[in-house]
Amino acid sequence: MKLRAANEIGIVCDHVKLEPSVKEEEILEQIHQLNTDPSVQGILVQLPLPESISERAITLAVAAEKDVDGFGSFNAVMVMLRECGVDLAGKHAVVIGRSDIVGMPLSQLLMRADATVTNCHSKTQGLRDILKLADVVVVAIGQPEYIKGEWIKPGAIVIDVGINYVPDSSKKSGSRMVGDVDFVSASESASHISPVPGGVGPMTVAMLLQNVVDSAVAFMKRRKGDASIPEGR
C-alpha cells in the first residue's frame, strides 16, 4: 500500500529488501549509507524485524531529519480524533494493547492532550466494565473482532488499529481483513468508529507521505538556505 501510494503522487520509492537471516550490523550499515545519501529524503524501517534484531537499535539509527515514520499508527489515531472534533480534555480514554509501537506511546499522547487514560491488556480484569466508562476506545491487540458492541458505552468514539485475517470462502484469497473490534455490533453503540480496512491504515500511509514531503522541503531549505519555503508544499 505504501509503495503504491507513493508512486501515485510522484514520490520515488526504493524498496530495500533484506534476507530474513540478515544480521543487525548489516542493517545498520545499510541505514548509514541511506543517512549519508543526499538523494534520499526519507527512510522507513518496516516493522516487525526478526527476533534476533533490536528494533530499538535499528530505528534509532535512522537520522532524525530522514525519519519519516514517527510510528505513524499512533499519530494517525490522534489526527483522526482531532478531525472528529473531539476535545480530549477530561475525557476517559481506554487504550487496549500495550505494545511499544502503538499502545504505550498512544497512551502518552492522550495524556498530554489532558485525557484520563486507562491502559488495558491481556491480563486486565473486568475489561467490559472498564469499557462501559470509556468516552474514547482505541484497540490494538491483534485479536479478530474481539471487542463487542455491547461492551461499548453509547456515544463513545472507537478507533480500531487491529489488522487480522479470518477465513472467508467467498473471497478469492480465502480470507478477509477485519479489525480487533466487531464493527457491525460496535457501530450500533459508537458515535464514530473507524473501519478495517479503510480506517487507520490509509491514514497512516497518508501521514507517512506527508512526512516525506516535509522532509524533502526541509532538505531543500537547508541546501538553499531559504526559510521562505512553506512546510507541506
Side-chain angles (χ1 to χ4, degrees):
M1 180 189 291
K2 295 170 184 174
L3 286 172
R4 185 174 66 250
N7 290 329
E8 286 176 354
I9 66 170
I11 294 177
V12 178
C13 237
D14 186 14
H15 186 190
V16 179
K17 296 182 179 180
L18 302 173
E19 295 297 326
S21 59
V22 67
K23 296 181 179 178
E24 187 170 311
E25 295 76 16
E26 295 176 272
I27 302 177
L28 290 172
E29 175 58 29
Q30 180 71 64
I31 291 174
H32 174 71
Q33 293 177 19
L34 296 172
N35 282 342
T36 56
D37 185 344
S39 69
V40 175
Q41 275 80 56
I43 301 171
L44 167 68
V45 178
Q46 184 65 54
L47 302 178
L49 298 173
E51 291 185 2
S52 60
I53 307 295
S54 168
E55 290 185 355
R56 178 176 174 80
I58 298 303
T59 54
L60 287 177
V62 178
E65 67 271 17
K66 295 189 178 185
D67 183 4
V68 297
D69 184 18
F71 292 112
S73 292
F74 65 77
N75 282 320
V77 170
M78 297 303 290
V79 171
M80 293 172 78
L81 290 171
R82 185 182 70 213
E83 292 299 314
C84 284
V86 181
D87 180 5
L88 289 168
K91 296 292 194 300
H92 182 198
V94 172
V95 178
I96 307 176
R98 54 180 171 178
S99 73
D100 292 336
I101 297 176
V102 180
M104 297 309 291
L106 179 58
S107 295
Q108 292 294 321
L109 288 178
L110 288 166
M111 282 191 284
R112 288 176 192 170
D114 294 326
T116 300
V117 180
T118 301
N119 190 266
C120 300
H121 46 78
S122 59
K123 304 300 182 182
T124 298
Q125 300 293 319
L127 177 60
R128 300 186 190 189
D129 294 333
I130 294 171
L131 285 174
K132 282 293 185 182
L133 302 174
D135 303 303
V136 177
V137 179
V138 184
V139 191
I141 54 173
Q143 297 290 329
E145 301 178 321
Y146 181 78
I147 304 300
K148 309 304 181 186
E150 56 267 28
W151 304 359
I152 303 297
K153 173 183 175 181
I157 296 170
V158 179
I159 306 290
D160 191 348
V161 188
I163 298 178
N164 310 281
Y165 291 90
V166 297
D168 188 338
S169 58
S170 68
K171 302 293 183 181
K172 186 176 181 180
S173 64
S175 64
R176 61 185 171 86
M177 183 189 297
V178 298
D180 292 341
V181 177
D182 181 354
F183 183 83
V184 174
S185 63
S187 296
E188 297 179 3
S189 299
S191 61
H192 296 81
I193 182 170
S194 66
V196 178
V200 174
M203 177 62 76
T204 301
V205 173
M207 293 188 65
L208 171 63
L209 298 180
Q210 182 63 62
N211 290 345
V212 174
V213 172
D214 290 344
S215 178
V217 169
F219 172 78
M220 293 303 295
K221 282 184 179 180
R222 293 192 301 271
R223 192 167 187 177
K224 297 180 178 180
D226 183 0
S228 66
I229 302 175
E231 296 290 339
R233 295 291 188 275

